[in-house]
Amino acid sequence: MTETHYLSDWQPYPFNVLETRLEFDLAPKGTKVKSEIRFHRNSPGDLVLDGAGLRTKALRIDGREIAPTDLRQTESSLTIAQSALPEGDFTFSAEVEIDPEANTALEGLYLSGGIFCTQCEAEGFRHITWYPDRPDVMAPFHVVLRSDKPVLLSNGNPVASEKGRAEWHDPWPKPAYLFALVAGDLVAIDDHFTTRSGKPVDLHVWVRPGDQDRADFAMESLKKSMIWDEEVYGREYDLDVFNIVAVDDFNMGAMENKGLNIFNSKLVLSSPATATDLDYERIEGVIAHEYFHNWTGNRITCRDWFQLCLKEGLTVFRDQSFTSDMRSAAVKRISDVQTLRARQFREDQGPLAHPPRPDHFQEINNFYTATVYEKGAEIIGMLKRLVGDENYRKALDLYFERHDGQACTIEDWLAVFHDATGRDLTQFKHWYTDAGTPQLTMIEDWQDGHLRLTFRQETPATPGQSHKPPRVIPIAIGLISPNGDEVLPMTVLEMTEAEQSFVFRDLGARPVVSLLRGFSAPVIIRREISADDQALLLAHDTDAFTRWEAGHDLALAALMALATGGEASAGYSDAIGALLAHAETDPAFTALCLALPGDDAIATALAARGITPDPDAIHAAREGFARDLASRHEAALSRIYATMAPVGAYRPDAEGAARRSLRLACLALLSRLDEGDRALVLFGSAENMTERLGALGQLIAVGRDQESLALFRQEFAANRLVMDKWFMVQPHRASPETAVARAKALAARDDFDWKNPNRFRALLGGFSANHAAFHQADGSGYDFYADWLIKLDPVNPQTAARMCSAFETWPRYEAGRREKARAALQRIAAREGLSRNTSEMVTRILAAGS
C-alpha cells in the first residue's frame, strides 16, 4: 500500500550535514559512486538515509566497516543504529554502483543520447547514493568526476581539471535535490558578465556539436535575467561561473541546480527557421525562471516538499514580471490568465484539486502542478497588490537578509511581510491552505447618482475540504461612463467578509463597472452584464485585461448559445468589426481578441451552468461561428493579413511577434473561407517557423496537408525539436473524425521515440488538446490515450502520471462517454505493477465519478 505523507508529521532531521564529498567513476552500466558525508548530531536517534536501486559495495563510519547487526536496509532506506555512531561529529562513507543506461525514468543519474546528466528534484538523489534526501538538509558539496567524456561539469566553481578528471566545489549549502553533474561530448558558447559590485562571472551554454548556432538567444536571455534581478530585486550572482546545459531527454522544462542549470533542449535551442515566437518567449522566460531560483529556491529553499509553492510560486511571479518588462505587459498578463484558467481553474474544479500548500501527498512528483506554480504566482501578485510596491520590496529585502542559507516555510514567508509592513496576514494565509477557486458574485444597485456594489464570495467544496472561510480578495475596479470616459480610475477594494458592499457617490450617470482589472485575484466572477456594456468595455476600457475579458465573454456567450441549439447575438461580431478598424495600433491585443474561446473552455462554462457539454456540438458551433465571423469581416481581415506581412529580417522581439500573431489570427479565420489557399501560399513562402507552422496547422484543419507535411518532414527530419512540432500539430489540428486514426498512424512510425518525453508529450498532448477527438463518443480517443499511458508507465512513471490529467474532466459528460472514460481509467488502474505515481493520479481521477 502506498504511504501517505502528512505535513503534520514533519520532524526536523536529527543531524546536520557539515560537508558532502562525492566521487564518480562514470560508466553507462556501472557507475561507481563514493560518498563521504560529515554529520553533526542534533538529537538522539538512528541515522536514517534514503536510497533506491543502489548496489551497495561498502558502508563505513569514520573509516570502519559497519557491522551487519547495526544495519537495517529496505528498498528505500538504510538505518544505522544509534549505538554504532560516535558521540561527536562523524563521517559516513559509502561505495555504491548504479546503472545510468537503464534509468529510463530519468530520475537521478541517467544517459541522454550518450550524455550523463542528473535530475534530482524532488527525490532523485536517492537513486545516486545513500543520503538524507530531504530539502531541509543542506551542505556544501565537493565533487570529483572521472570519465572519458571531454566535458565534466558539476555545481559551484571549478577547482581542478585534467583529461578524464574534473573537480568542483560549491561553497553554498544546498539540499541534495539541487545537486547536478553533466558529462558528455559538448560544445559551449561563452560569454561573461560583471555584477554591479564588480564580480566577474564566466557564462557558458553547453549544447551538442552542431547546435551551437542555435544557442545565442539563450545566452542573451541569461544576461538580461542577471541584469533584471540586480535592478528589480537587488540580487547578484554569487559564483565564478554559470553553466546551462541542453539535453534531449528531460521530464521537466529545466532545473535550477546551483550554478549548473540543466535544460530540456527545446528551451535552449532556437533559430528563426526552427523556433516559433512562442518558443522564443518560453526560452527567455524559463531561462529567467531558473536563474531567479538562484535566490528564490537555492540560497533560500523550502523546508519540506509541502512548501513547494514557496519557491515555485515566487519564482514564477518573478519570471512573469521579467517577461512583462521585456515584452508587452498587457499581452503577458492576458496570456498568463488564459493559462491559469485553462490549467489551474480546471484543476481546482476537479478531482485533482489541492491547496497551493497541500497537507498530504503520496507521490510528490504529482504535485508539480498549475496550483503550486501558477496559482502560487497569483498569490504573490495579490500580496504585492495589497501591500504596495514599496512595502513589497522592503519585505523581500528582509526575506533575503533573514533567511539566506535556510530552508523555510510559508509561515516564514508571511512573517517577513508582517514584520516589514505590520500587516496581519492570518486571513490571507487561506490562499495557501485552502483548495478551490473562489466564486465572486457582484450585484449592482444604482439610486440617485450613487452606485452600491455588493460582493459575495464562496469557495466550493473540494476533495478533503468542505467549509472554506472567507478570503482576502483584492478587487481592482474602474468605472466607465456611457460615453466611454473613465469616471473612476483604478481603485483596489479589499474584500475580507463573505458579503461586503462598497458605495460610490455623486456620479452623473450610471457607469459600467470595469471589474477585476489586471485580474487582481484568481476568482470566478458572477455578474449580470449586457452585451452592450461588454461592447462598451471592449471599445473604451483603459485596462487591457478587462477589455479583452469583455470580448472573450461576448464570444463565449455566443458559442454557448450555438452549442446548445440557440442563436448567437451579434454583439461580439459588431465589437470585432470596430476593433479591426484600428487593429494595427495594437496588433498583439487584436490577435488575442480574435482568438475564440477553445472547445474545452466552452465545455467548462456549460458545465458550470449545469448543462452537460456535447463535444461534437461544441466543435460544430465553434467552427460555424468562426466561419460566419470571417465571412462578415472578410475585407478587413484580408487587408490586415496583407498589412501584417513581414518587413525586413525576422526578429524575435515583441513588435515582430505581435505582427505575426495578428497575421496568423486573420489567417485562421480566412482559411474557413478560402479552404486554405492563403495558408498554402504562406507555407511555401514563409521564412520563419512561426508562420510556417501556423500555415501548416490551417492546412491540416481544412484537409489540404499531405504535400506540405511531406515537405516539412523532408526538410526537418534530422531536427528532433522541429519534428516534435510535426508530431504535435497533426492530431491537434486534425478533424475530430480523423484525429484518432491519424494519432495511431503517427504512433506506429519508427521515428515516434515514445521513450523521449518531448516526443511522447508532442503526440499525446497534441491529441488530448483536440477536445472533440479525445472525447469521441465511441471511446476510441480514451482507449488510444490509455493504451499509451499503460505502455509508458513502467518506463517513465513521472511523465505518464502527469499526462493522466487529460482525463480529469470525464464526469461532466453524458453517460455514454462517462462509462467509456471510466473503463479506460479502470484499465490503467488494473495494470499489474502500476507505478505509485500513476496509481495515485488515476485513483484520484476515478474517485470524481463515484
Side-chain angles (χ1 to χ4, degrees):
M1 185 173 180
T2 303
E3 180 184 4
T4 299
H5 304 272
Y6 294 92
L7 173 59
S8 58
D9 290 339
W10 181 87
Q11 294 291 329
Y13 194 63
F15 301 88
N16 285 345
V17 176
L18 304 177
E19 183 184 29
T20 299
R21 302 182 71 88
L22 302 171
E23 293 187 22
F24 291 83
D25 288 290
L26 296 167
K29 293 183 180 298
T31 288
K32 295 179 175 61
V33 184
K34 295 181 180 179
S35 60
E36 290 186 357
I37 310 165
R38 189 72 177 162
F39 283 103
H40 171 79
R41 179 186 294 280
N42 292 322
S43 60
D46 298 338
L47 177 64
V48 181
L49 305 173
D50 301 301
L54 308 174
R55 297 191 290 269
T56 304
K57 304 299 183 181
L59 299 170
R60 300 180 180 91
I61 296 289
D62 288 340
R64 296 187 301 273
E65 293 284 345
I66 304 172
T69 54
D70 292 324
L71 292 173
R72 185 171 70 256
Q73 184 174 336
T74 70
E75 291 183 356
S76 60
S77 68
L78 176 70
T79 301
I80 303 169
Q82 179 178 340
S83 59
L85 304 175
E87 289 295 326
D89 297 351
F90 61 92
T91 298
F92 166 81
S93 58
E95 296 177 21
V96 305
E97 191 173 86
I98 55 179
D99 187 350
E101 191 172 75
N103 185 0
T104 60
L106 311 183
E107 293 182 279
L109 176 65
Y110 64 94
L111 277 170
S112 172
I115 298 172
F116 290 96
C117 60
T118 55
Q119 172 55 34
C120 294
E121 187 177 358
E123 296 177 340
F125 192 80
R126 63 192 60 194
H127 296 274
I128 294 175
T129 193
W130 295 107
Y131 200 82
D133 189 9
R134 43 189 286 170
D136 57 336
V137 176
M138 304 172 70
F141 276 60
H142 194 97
V143 179
V144 175
L145 305 176
R146 298 186 188 90
S147 173
D148 59 0
K149 301 292 185 182
V151 175
L152 304 174
L153 306 172
S154 191
N155 305 92
N157 296 319
V159 174
S161 179
E162 58 188 77
K163 185 177 181 180
R165 184 182 184 278
E167 193 170 346
W168 292 80
H169 176 64
D170 186 355
W172 301 103
K174 66 173 180 284
Y177 84 85
L178 290 172
F179 169 78
L181 74 78
V182 173
D185 182 10
L186 298 163
V187 294
I189 66 164
D190 306 316
D191 211 323
H192 64 275
F193 183 82
T194 302
T195 69
R196 63 180 183 177
S197 65
K199 177 183 175 64
V201 182
D202 292 329
L203 309 177
H204 309 286
V205 178
W206 297 90
V207 297
R208 294 180 184 277
D211 286 338
Q212 57 266 43
D213 61 335
R214 292 189 287 149
D216 289 336
F217 185 77
M219 179 64 81
E220 290 304 311
S221 299
L222 173 59
K223 291 191 292 185
K224 288 179 183 178
S225 305
M226 298 176 83
I227 293 169
W228 187 89
D229 212 18
E230 289 186 348
E231 293 177 347
V232 179
Y233 279 83
R235 298 297 100 196
E236 290 191 33
Y237 186 61
D238 51 7
L239 290 169
D240 300 335
V241 62
F242 190 91
N243 287 307
I244 289 174
V245 181
V247 298
D248 290 345
D249 301 281
F250 207 68
N251 284 334
M252 300 184 181
M255 180 60 205
E256 71 266 20
N257 319 291
K258 183 71 177 179
L260 177 57
N261 286 186
I262 300 177
F263 271 67
N264 192 313
S265 55
K266 70 179 181 179
L267 292 169
V268 172
L269 304 178
S270 63
S271 71
T274 61
T276 65
D277 290 331
L278 184 57
D279 291 331
Y280 276 103
E281 183 175 330
R282 284 175 175 165
I283 289 169
E284 185 179 67
V286 176
I287 282 179
H289 178 95
E290 306 306 336
Y291 175 76
F292 297 156
H293 263 315
N294 188 61
W295 277 92
T296 52
N298 296 2
R299 288 283 289 264
I300 305 175
T301 192
C302 47
R303 187 196 71 179
D304 51 71
W305 291 120
F306 298 99
Q307 320 293 332
L308 181 59
C309 70
L310 174 62
K311 75 181 184 79
E312 294 300 347
L314 176 55
T315 307
V316 169
F317 177 75
R318 276 154 50 75
D319 82 55
Q320 290 175 347
S321 303
F322 167 79
T323 301
S324 294
D325 287 348
M326 296 301 108
R327 295 174 180 266
S328 165
V331 171
K332 174 60 176 169
R333 185 59 183 147
I334 294 168
S335 299
D336 287 341
V337 174
Q338 289 177 313
T339 300
L340 183 82
R341 287 174 168 170
R343 296 179 62 232
Q344 197 281 319
F345 277 24
R346 170 172 159 160
E347 200 166 82
D348 255 353
Q349 295 163 15
L352 303 180
H354 61 276
R357 184 177 73 179
D359 59 6
H360 68 282
F361 64 79
Q362 293 179 3
E363 170 53 61
I364 184 55
N365 286 314
N366 290 340
F367 279 86
Y368 283 74
T369 62
T371 297
V372 167
Y373 281 69
E374 278 77 25
K375 190 169 186 175
E378 292 296 321
I379 294 171
I380 305 296
M382 284 190 292
L383 190 54
K384 185 173 187 284
R385 192 170 287 111
L386 289 167
V387 303
D389 292 349
E390 184 177 344
N391 278 332
Y392 175 79
R393 176 60 187 267
K394 182 180 176 183
L396 266 292
D397 287 344
L398 179 59
Y399 180 64
F400 296 128
E401 176 187 347
R402 178 181 291 179
H403 294 297
D404 188 11
Q406 297 179 11
C408 297
T409 66
I410 295 300
E411 285 76 14
D412 294 325
W413 166 252
L414 295 177
V416 162
F417 276 83
H418 174 269
D419 295 347
T421 69
R423 186 183 180 100
D424 183 356
L425 294 170
T426 303
Q427 185 183 14
F428 185 83
K429 186 179 174 182
H430 287 295
W431 281 105
Y432 283 109
T433 59
D434 293 354
T437 303
Q439 296 181 359
L440 188 65
T441 301
M442 184 185 79
I443 299 173
E444 301 180 43
D445 181 27
W446 169 258
Q447 292 186 25
D448 302 325
H450 305 323
L451 178 66
R452 176 183 293 272
L453 301 180
T454 299
F455 295 93
R456 299 186 184 122
Q457 62 165 297
E458 180 183 8
T459 305
T462 52
Q465 288 186 330
S466 53
H467 174 68
K468 312 287 179 68
R471 306 189 194 187
V472 180
I473 302 179
I475 308 169
I477 72 162
L479 299 179
I480 308 297
S481 72
N483 64 9
D485 294 333
E486 185 175 68
V487 294
L488 177 73
M490 184 151 76
T491 300
V492 178
L493 311 176
E494 188 171 330
M495 185 178 187
T496 58
E497 306 295 334
E499 182 173 321
Q500 204 165 339
S501 295
F502 303 87
V503 179
F504 302 89
R505 304 181 184 280
D506 302 322
L507 300 170
R510 180 169 186 164
V512 177
V513 180
S514 169
L515 182 60
L516 210 66
R517 286 185 162 184
F519 198 66
S520 58
V523 300
I524 295 171
I525 292 293
R526 306 288 189 220
R527 69 182 295 194
E528 294 291 334
I529 182 170
S530 68
D532 288 343
D533 285 349
Q534 287 174 323
L536 179 75
L537 291 174
L538 177 58
H540 299 290
D541 204 333
T542 58
D543 181 79
F545 171 77
T546 46
R547 283 187 67 205
W548 169 82
E549 180 87 318
H552 174 271
D553 287 350
L554 278 169
L556 187 60
L559 290 163
M560 290 171 63
L562 291 171
T564 52
E567 296 184 1
S569 72
Y572 175 74
S573 186
D574 291 344
I576 288 298
L579 193 67
L580 289 175
H582 307 285
E584 291 88 343
T585 60
D586 194 347
F589 179 79
T590 305
L592 286 170
C593 292
L594 285 177
L596 297 176
D599 288 10
D600 187 72
I602 301 166
T604 299
L606 289 169
R609 288 158 176 76
I611 302 170
T612 300
D614 179 342
D616 297 326
I618 289 171
H619 179 75
R622 192 173 183 275
E623 287 300 302
F625 188 67
R627 190 176 300 107
D628 290 346
L629 192 67
S631 180
R632 180 172 176 184
H633 300 294
E634 182 177 8
L637 292 167
S638 299
R639 173 184 58 79
I640 296 166
Y641 179 77
T643 303
M644 292 293 111
V647 178
Y650 176 91
R651 295 180 61 187
D653 56 12
E655 181 180 355
R659 291 175 59 87
R660 286 184 289 274
S661 67
L662 179 54
R663 192 176 198 221
L664 289 176
C666 293
L667 180 69
L669 291 170
L670 291 168
S671 292
R672 266 91 172 183
L673 304 180
D674 68 9
E675 296 300 319
D677 288 345
R678 290 179 181 83
L680 194 61
V681 172
L682 180 61
F683 180 83
S685 63
E687 297 180 354
N688 61 79
M689 179 55 68
T690 302
E691 293 189 326
R692 196 105 186 260
L693 190 65
L696 182 60
Q698 298 307 324
L699 291 171
I700 294 169
V702 299
R704 295 179 64 182
D705 54 270
Q706 291 306 308
E707 183 178 349
S708 299
L709 281 170
L711 289 171
F712 194 94
R713 184 181 67 249
Q714 180 179 351
E715 181 175 354
F716 295 109
N719 188 307
R720 54 202 178 276
L721 297 180
V722 178
M723 285 303 292
D724 287 340
K725 302 179 192 299
W726 187 84
F727 274 92
M728 178 276 296
V729 71
Q730 294 183 66
H732 183 206
R733 298 308 311 276
S735 68
E737 299 78 20
T738 65
V740 175
R742 188 184 286 245
K744 288 181 177 179
L746 287 166
R749 291 179 55 89
D750 291 340
D751 52 352
F752 178 56
D753 181 7
W754 59 274
K755 294 181 181 180
N756 176 270
N758 285 353
R759 187 60 51 88
F760 189 89
R761 283 189 292 254
L763 177 57
L764 275 294
F767 173 73
S768 63
N770 188 329
H771 180 261
F774 181 72
H775 294 288
Q776 280 285 290
D778 64 1
S780 57
Y782 303 141
D783 287 339
F784 168 75
Y785 202 85
D787 287 344
W788 276 102
L789 292 184
I790 290 169
K791 185 171 183 176
L792 182 67
D793 180 70
V795 174
N796 189 331
Q798 196 175 129
T799 297
R802 286 178 181 161
M803 297 197 71
C804 288
S805 60
F807 281 103
E808 66 186 324
T809 61
W810 71 274
R812 74 186 179 193
Y813 298 97
E814 101 307 320
R817 285 183 170 89
R818 282 203 309 273
E819 290 312 306
K820 291 177 175 62
R822 189 197 307 274
L825 287 164
Q826 289 173 336
R827 188 157 53 86
I828 299 171
R831 192 190 72 81
E832 185 177 356
L834 190 69
S835 71
R836 69 177 188 178
N837 307 61
T838 303
S839 177
E840 180 188 15
M841 293 291 283
V842 172
T843 299
R844 292 166 64 194
I845 292 170
L846 271 169
S850 57

